[in-house]
Amino acid sequence: MTRQRYISLILILGTLTALGPFSIDMYLPGFPAIAKYMHTDVAGVALSLSSFFIGLAAGQLLYGPLLDKFGRRKPLLFGLSFYIVASVGCAMATSLNALIILRIIQAIGSCAAAVASMAMVRDLFPVNENAKVFALLMLVVGASPMVAPTIGGYVTAGPGWQWVFIVLAGMAVLILLAVIFVLPDSYQPDPTISLKPRPIINGFLNVLKIPQFYTYTLTGSFAFSGLFAYVAGSPLVFMEVFGVSDTVYGWIFAGLSVGFIGSSQVNSLLLRRFTSEQIVKVSLPAQALVGVLFLIGSLLGVLGFWGTIVMIFLFLCCLGMTNPNAAALTLAPFSKNAGTASSLFGAIQLGIGALVSTSVSLFDSLSVVPLAAVMCVTAVIAFIILFTSLRVNRGKFTGVSGEAAVMVH
């Protein structure tokens, strides 16, 4: 593979992966404006974010078997087209209930991009390079929390929050064109794969039986759900508790994302000397420790505005190293049905994320404590799952640097 080809693949796969995060981050500064327009409160608007996560989780299970049966291209083109129509619908929504439903539909379309991009990493690159590729994708995805909320803040302050969804639809059109004219179909369709419920369920159950899959899926999902909590709770914390404007919030969100993006690139350098397993064993305990300190500081009321920013920044730094390695370790045992495995991984991750983000919205407290509590609990749960499973399943895991991959049928 030439360097130019390598870079083009990373950019396209990165934009596919970033479509979902852009759909989340870009409209966050518009929460107060949407709440005012639809005669509700910010917590109510946050339910449209949770519904998006639910749609993503459901869509993951839908696209996994489709990607394995029909190849990557056809389901991807369908999902992107579905996303464009739903985005236009969100811009035309006049009630909260309509927005919630349309966000579910939008999510189902966008998750085709997320599942396909993960599966294509496994298709196009050697297994021992997957963690590095995921880290590079995260660099592209990192443009989302840096750019999306800032753009969303100015779009909301200018033409209005509805135009955020028009911009997202335009972005999806450009990605659709790139997929049609540049991205190869990296997987030969397998017509033997059945789309009947029983074989699909059996396929998912076979994947779930692999100790490495369920260990790193649950570990990565709970660790990553801290980010979902932050995304759902940060508009209330910064715009309601600390009283910043929508445009300032966009800049704060962008600044905090530097921790997540920067640490993911540090992770790429660390992978030259350490394995993914070694990095996770350090980054995850650090993430749990930061979560505990964040909760204690919030309960004691000693953090304030800047202390809150520092704690979230450190949490995201740890997550930036935990997440790509957990994802690579989750998919390492699979080759033939990486689409099914990646879709199940995504469904579990997003399902847990949806529950976590909803739990943040349910707290009737105008303070930082609910956000800190949820971020702390999820990181501690991830820590417990990983080290308990490593002890129970000693010797049963395949490292991402190994040449052989376990084939799951």
Side-chain angles (χ1 to χ4, degrees):
M1 185 183 298
T2 64
R3 180 175 177 80
Q4 182 178 0
R5 179 69 166 172
Y6 185 87
I7 293 174
S8 66
L9 286 175
I10 293 296
L11 289 175
I12 295 174
L13 293 175
T15 53
L16 285 170
T17 308
L19 185 60
F22 259 85
S23 306
I24 296 166
D25 300 335
M26 191 174 286
Y27 94 128
L28 294 177
F31 271 28
I34 297 173
K36 182 178 180 180
Y37 180 84
M38 296 183 175
H39 307 291
T40 184
D41 54 19
V42 171
V45 177
L47 293 176
S48 67
L49 179 61
S50 299
S51 70
F52 188 87
F53 293 146
I54 292 171
L56 284 177
Q60 297 276 334
L61 298 176
L62 168 69
Y63 288 110
L66 293 177
L67 288 165
D68 286 337
K69 183 176 179 65
F70 298 111
R72 312 309 190 203
R73 180 178 294 271
K74 290 181 180 179
L76 183 54
L77 295 178
F78 170 79
L80 289 171
S81 302
F82 204 55
Y83 175 91
I84 293 168
V85 174
S87 297
V88 175
C90 289
M92 300 172 63
T94 57
S95 69
L96 180 59
N97 288 336
L99 181 63
I100 289 173
I101 294 172
L102 286 166
R103 287 284 284 174
I104 294 176
I105 298 173
Q106 186 190 36
I108 292 174
S110 73
C111 72
V115 178
S117 60
M118 283 195 68
M120 292 180 80
V121 168
R122 188 63 183 83
D123 296 339
L124 295 169
F125 302 93
V127 66
N128 61 336
E129 291 186 15
N130 282 181
K132 294 180 181 178
V133 174
F134 280 125
L136 289 173
L137 294 186
M138 199 170 294
L139 181 61
V140 180
V141 173
S144 168
M146 291 185 69
V147 177
T150 306
I151 295 175
Y154 285 105
V155 171
T156 300
W161 64 267
Q162 292 91 340
W163 278 90
V164 169
F165 294 101
I166 300 299
V167 172
L168 289 172
M171 176 181 170
V173 170
L174 295 177
I175 295 174
L176 180 66
L177 293 175
V179 170
I180 293 173
F181 295 108
V182 181
L183 192 66
D185 195 349
S186 60
Y187 183 83
Q188 188 67 28
D190 187 351
T192 64
I193 294 177
S194 174
L195 296 180
K196 295 180 180 180
R198 179 174 291 180
I200 291 175
I201 293 173
N202 287 337
F204 286 136
L205 290 176
N206 287 335
V207 170
L208 279 172
K209 293 176 183 178
I210 307 300
Q212 181 161 336
F213 177 83
Y214 65 70
T215 295
Y216 285 105
T217 292
L218 292 176
T219 297
S221 296
F222 276 102
F224 198 60
S225 65
L227 179 63
F228 286 82
Y230 159 64
V231 170
S234 60
L236 184 143
V237 167
F238 289 111
M239 289 192 282
E240 299 293 325
V241 176
F242 293 118
V244 305
S245 66
D246 47 11
T247 52
V248 171
Y249 167 75
W251 285 107
I252 291 172
F253 199 94
L256 286 171
S257 68
V258 172
F260 185 68
I261 302 160
S263 62
S264 70
Q265 300 317 299
V266 171
N267 179 70
S268 296
L269 298 176
L270 291 174
L271 284 168
R272 298 176 183 177
R273 295 188 59 185
F274 304 100
T275 66
S276 291
E277 298 95 325
Q278 290 172 322
I279 296 173
V280 168
K281 288 178 181 178
V282 174
S283 62
L284 184 56
Q287 183 179 340
L289 176 60
V290 172
V292 171
L293 294 176
F294 186 22
L295 177 58
I296 293 173
S298 299
L299 289 170
L300 296 177
V302 298
L303 293 178
F305 176 75
W306 289 108
T308 299
I309 286 180
V310 169
M311 287 290 102
I312 294 176
F313 181 83
L314 292 175
F315 188 94
L316 295 179
C317 284
C318 298
L319 181 57
M321 286 188 283
T322 300
N323 186 57
N325 290 297
L329 288 164
T330 297
L331 296 180
F334 305 96
S335 56
K336 180 180 178 181
N337 55 351
T340 298
S342 64
S343 69
L344 185 57
F345 167 68
I348 294 172
Q349 185 179 71
L350 291 163
I352 292 174
L355 292 174
V356 168
S357 65
T358 302
S359 69
V360 175
S361 303
L362 294 178
F363 282 98
D364 187 19
S365 174
L366 196 63
S367 73
V368 183
V369 173
L371 175 60
V374 174
M375 292 174 71
C376 172
V377 169
T378 54
V380 170
I381 290 175
F383 171 82
I384 293 171
I385 290 172
L386 176 62
F387 288 93
T388 300
S389 185
L390 287 176
R391 187 177 298 110
V392 172
N393 297 296
R394 190 182 302 274
K396 296 182 180 180
F397 291 172
T398 300
V400 295
S401 58
E403 293 297 325
V406 178
M407 189 81 78
V408 178
H409 300 280

